[in-house]
Amino acid sequence: LKAQYFDFPYQVLDSFNLKITYSIAWKEDTNNLERIRNEKMILMVGNEISKFMSKNFYEYTVIGREAEREGRFQGFRDRNEYQNYRTRFSYQILKNYPRGNYSYFNKVLPDFMQYTEPFEVFQWELLDKTDSIGGYSAQKARCNYGRREWIAWYTSNIPINDGPYKFRGLPGLIIKIYDKQEHY
């Protein structure tokens, strides 16, 4: 019996019509704040659902599934091609807007873990400060979440009530967000 690595049962819930790439920088050791790690993350937005995940994990999954379907997976693993797609973030977060909830998925070998919870109600404070970020006019907002104060910049030029991780609820796409201590 040969187990399938990638093609676990799944259901198509939506199709994505917008893909946003974010760059995450984080300080993984508060005793060594000089060491900063970086990785690309993506937010894929559909009409009813958005999905946030590591760009490397997404590309690894796409290429790995193709190799598995074509019978080339063992060669893909043997040549260590997957090393090009290393990630610190193997989780995926789906925001299901019609249901008003998040679903969190992660592969915890050898199984998959999933949980669902209602949307967090972020108490955003919209601030009067504006800036230009990536060619977009952006407005500043602030909220508290997970025992951190978060500063977000959003643009109403992209009228999507979404952003990275679980963040959402502003009158436009969150294009930049960081905690006040700049650990993330």
Side-chain angles (χ1 to χ4, degrees), residues 47-59:
N47 293 327
E48 297 183 345
I49 295 175
S50 69
K51 183 178 190 178
F52 181 75
M53 65 189 302
S54 159
K55 185 174 187 222
N56 279 352
F57 189 69
Y58 172 75
E59 291 174 354

Side-chain angles (χ1 to χ4, degrees), residues 54-120:
S54 159
K55 185 174 187 222
N56 279 352
F57 189 69
Y58 172 75
E59 291 174 354
Y60 170 68
T61 302
V62 168
I63 292 169
R65 279 185 177 152
E66 180 180 311
E68 187 172 74
R69 278 192 291 272
E70 294 174 358
R72 302 181 290 110
F73 183 70
Q74 192 59 47
F76 175 75
R77 297 282 298 180
D78 290 346
R79 288 189 305 277
N80 289 329
E81 289 180 48
Y82 62 91
Q83 297 293 335
N84 298 329
Y85 305 100
R86 287 183 174 243
T87 181
R88 292 283 212 182
F89 305 100
S90 60
Y91 67 83
Q92 301 172 47
I93 295 175
L94 269 63
K95 295 177 194 139
N96 188 323
Y97 283 92
R99 292 186 181 171
N101 63 28
Y102 306 101
S103 292
Y104 177 95
F105 301 88
N106 204 350
K107 185 164 186 143
V108 181
L109 291 174
D111 295 316
F112 290 91
M113 176 185 78
Q114 172 188 347
Y115 69 85
T116 300
E117 63 185 354
F119 277 154
E120 182 77 25

